[in-house]
Amino acid sequence: MTPPNATVMARPSSVRYQGLAFAIVTAILAGAAFAPTLSLLGIGSLLALAAAGYFIFQLVDGNADLIVLLWVGLSPLGYYFLTFPREGGIFTFDRAAILMLAAAIVLCPRGQRTAIPDDLRKTALVWIIFLVAALLSVVNVGDIRLSVRMWLEVFVFPAILGWYVIACFPVRKYLRLMHGLACVAAIYSAAIGVAEVYLGRDLLPLPGAGETFAGGQDVLILRVNGPYSSNNSYGLIGLVSFCLIWFLRSAIAGRMPGWQKLLNVIGITAALTAAMLPLFRSIALTIACILVVDLFRRLTVGQRALRLSVLALMGAGVLAVMISVPELFEERVSQAGNIYARMAQQKQNLQLFVDHPVLGVGLNNFHLAATTSAAARLSYDSTPALDYPHSNVGAVLAETGLVGFVPFAMSQVLLVMAFWKLRRSALPGRRLSWTFFVYVFLSYWISGLALTSGYYSDLNLWYIFCLAVIYKYGITDELRNGAPSALDGLKAGA
């Protein structure tokens, strides 16, 4: 019974909301009946507006987590399907994502940010010095616009992505989701590559992405690029993805449901397949190095047998190619001309640096400088240089001179030192981060000594993202009483 002096709050009527809902449903049905195309366009616009509003409100709060997760799952397809216009690409998925991440960094509340260790701050400071030096080098370039665009996309954008992940992105919260997204991306990327090998053509051609073949005479095999603009990016992103999926499975300290275990097996196999499909000798060498180094960790007999089996399978594959397709084996492995051309190229890299030792020949200006300089027309055992640096070290040295190369080299040393400090910790998560940093670093740099892989924006974005995820996981590790440790996950995921 209600007391006489009590205030009775009238329950608001929901009739008006029912009427509004009825009106909306009626409008949708009428539109679908009389103007289906216009109706679908209207519904799509409303959904897009709602999604845009959600992203905007999240960004205002400094939260771009969903953007990062969407980028992880969709970035391989974004280069073909989310670039407008196709020629020139004013809007690209990567640019949109990075600009939103930059806004989120500025708007992220200070209390929600992860404190950046001093070791990494030093690395970032030296990298900024390199960025300034690389930008100064464009004074020697004829078309400054193209060089500045490459400077932004290749060197600046990956730094923004990495900084957001370390400062604002809750890596440990999304371990399982990132693992699933990385597996899915690796699976469909590998499927595209396998289909391209079978059909002998590029299924998702991008501007400037030509087709290259291995072999000779009657045997020609397409060196696929999958959804990317180059086979360099495709193979190395596949290799780095292999390390990332392996790391995420190891970091998930706990049991996985059966479907996720199956997804993990398929995903890591797909990433390894994508890495091998473009037929790079340096990638095969890197995989072998990683597996051999991994044998020195604390492993079970079954884990050691698995790694040795993969090494044996790779050796058997090389032997099978040598016997059944000798043309392909000769072109990709035993032909001396490839080695002589690379040696001639290193001579050319050094010559261009000697001719322009301070600021270099200018960022993204190597080929023009090499083909117009009489002193740079070099060869080795009658094999001419390739007129492209084919080395990250050679490219940075020749194009930015000592002013750019010194901070570039220092940034790499400081990066290794930042991860080395994690290795010295007693926390298992930090030691796990060091282990997989070594694998990702080797994946990038072994090939980077023979390819100018550091000049591909898609590869640099993925490489820096993986390093940032691994580092953030390490610096947020804590001792947990009675909780599963990262080493437990390492044993389960190996």
Side-chain angles (χ1 to χ4, degrees):
M1 180 176 179
T2 305
N5 59 349
T7 302
V8 179
M9 300 296 294
R11 185 176 182 180
S13 173
S14 62
V15 173
R16 54 183 176 178
Y17 300 111
Q18 294 174 2
L20 179 60
F22 179 77
I24 293 174
V25 173
T26 302
I28 292 174
L29 293 176
F34 298 103
T37 303
L38 187 60
S39 177
L40 289 174
L41 182 61
I43 294 172
S45 300
L46 287 174
L47 293 175
L49 184 62
Y54 176 79
F55 281 119
I56 291 172
F57 284 121
Q58 290 289 307
L59 283 178
V60 169
D61 291 335
N63 185 344
D65 296 351
L66 183 57
I67 295 168
V68 172
L69 294 172
L70 286 174
W71 181 82
V72 171
L74 297 178
S75 61
L77 297 178
Y79 300 106
Y80 185 82
F81 294 103
L82 298 175
T83 298
F84 305 101
R86 183 61 55 81
E87 296 288 340
I90 297 174
F91 172 88
T92 68
F93 185 45
D94 282 351
R95 290 179 192 171
I98 297 303
L99 289 176
M100 287 189 282
L101 293 184
I105 291 173
V106 175
L107 297 171
C108 183
R110 185 176 298 273
Q112 296 180 13
R113 298 180 188 176
T114 300
I116 307 296
D118 290 339
D119 302 293
L120 194 65
R121 286 187 179 275
K122 293 175 185 176
T123 306
L125 178 61
V126 174
W127 186 253
I128 291 172
I129 296 173
F130 163 71
L131 291 178
V132 173
L135 190 59
L136 288 175
S137 74
V138 303
V139 298
N140 296 325
V141 177
D143 192 344
I144 294 179
R145 181 182 58 86
L146 288 178
S147 294
V148 171
R149 174 180 170 180
M150 194 196 79
W151 175 79
L152 278 170
E153 296 189 341
V154 171
F155 300 123
V156 177
F157 284 1
I160 294 173
L161 172 61
W163 198 259
Y164 177 82
V165 171
I166 294 172
C168 308
F169 186 68
V171 165
R172 289 179 175 268
K173 176 181 177 181
Y174 294 116
L175 285 175
R176 290 183 182 273
L177 184 53
M178 280 194 296
H179 174 267
L181 291 172
C183 286
V184 170
I187 291 168
Y188 69 69
S189 295
I192 293 171
V194 170
E196 288 180 342
V197 171
Y198 178 76
L199 297 174
R201 62 186 180 87
D202 189 354
L203 296 179
L204 301 176
L206 294 170
E211 295 179 346
T212 58
F213 293 84
Q217 299 178 0
D218 296 331
V219 179
L220 287 176
I221 298 177
L222 178 66
R223 300 182 64 191
V224 299
N225 55 13
Y228 300 99
S229 59
S230 71
N231 48 26
N232 295 332
S233 293
Y234 181 65
L236 288 171
I237 288 175
L239 181 54
V240 174
S241 296
F242 166 73
C243 297
L244 177 66
I245 295 170
W246 187 5
F247 165 76
L248 291 172
R249 175 62 189 98
S250 301
I252 298 173
R255 303 181 68 86
M256 276 186 171
W259 66 268
Q260 197 168 11
K261 289 182 180 179
L262 178 61
L263 180 64
N264 177 73
V265 172
I266 298 175
I268 206 166
T269 303
L272 199 57
T273 301
M276 296 292 291
L277 281 177
L279 303 175
F280 282 108
R281 293 159 295 191
S282 59
I283 290 181
L285 175 63
T286 305
I287 295 171
C289 286
I290 290 173
L291 292 176
V292 169
V293 170
D294 200 62
L295 288 172
F296 291 92
R297 289 195 298 127
R298 188 174 59 188
L299 302 173
T300 66
V301 175
Q303 291 166 353
R304 291 183 186 277
L306 177 61
R307 286 148 180 76
L308 291 173
S309 297
V310 175
L311 286 170
L313 187 62
M314 290 175 60
V318 171
L319 183 62
V321 170
M322 182 175 64
I323 296 174
S324 60
V325 194
E327 300 93 340
L328 179 60
F329 180 82
E330 180 182 1
E331 197 271 335
R332 296 306 305 153
V333 180
S334 63
Q335 194 176 69
N338 282 329
I339 298 175
Y340 293 161
R342 298 303 173 92
M343 296 179 73
Q345 187 55 54
Q346 301 312 311
K347 292 173 61 178
Q348 186 183 67
N349 296 346
L350 183 60
Q351 183 62 50
L352 286 178
F353 163 68
V354 170
D355 293 342
H356 304 81
V358 181
L359 287 178
V361 299
L363 190 65
N364 198 34
N365 197 44
F366 186 98
H367 180 67
L368 180 62
T371 53
T372 56
S373 171
R377 307 308 300 165
L378 300 172
S379 62
Y380 183 88
D381 196 23
S382 301
T383 303
L386 302 168
D387 296 332
Y388 289 95
H390 280 273
S391 164
N392 291 337
V393 173
V396 174
L397 185 64
E399 291 192 350
T400 66
L402 285 175
V403 174
F405 178 76
V406 171
F408 177 83
M410 286 182 60
S411 70
Q412 302 307 303
V413 173
L414 290 172
L415 180 66
V416 174
M417 291 174 62
F419 275 93
W420 176 260
K421 191 170 183 178
L422 297 182
R423 178 189 180 275
R424 295 169 59 190
S425 171
L427 299 174
R430 297 194 173 193
R431 286 183 280 133
L432 182 71
S433 293
W434 162 258
T435 296
F436 281 92
F437 161 74
V438 171
Y439 297 166
V440 173
F441 194 76
L442 290 175
S443 299
Y444 186 82
W445 270 105
I446 289 179
S447 292
L449 296 175
L451 301 170
T452 319
S453 54
Y455 277 44
Y456 293 95
S457 62
D458 45 14
L459 172 60
N460 280 357
L461 283 168
W462 191 243
Y463 170 66
I464 294 299
F465 170 76
C466 293
L467 287 185
V469 166
I470 294 171
Y471 190 76
K472 179 65 173 285
Y473 177 84
I475 63 175
T476 53
D477 192 20
E478 297 177 357
L479 288 174
R480 292 172 295 278
N481 294 327
S485 73
L487 288 182
D488 296 330
L490 180 60
K491 296 174 182 177

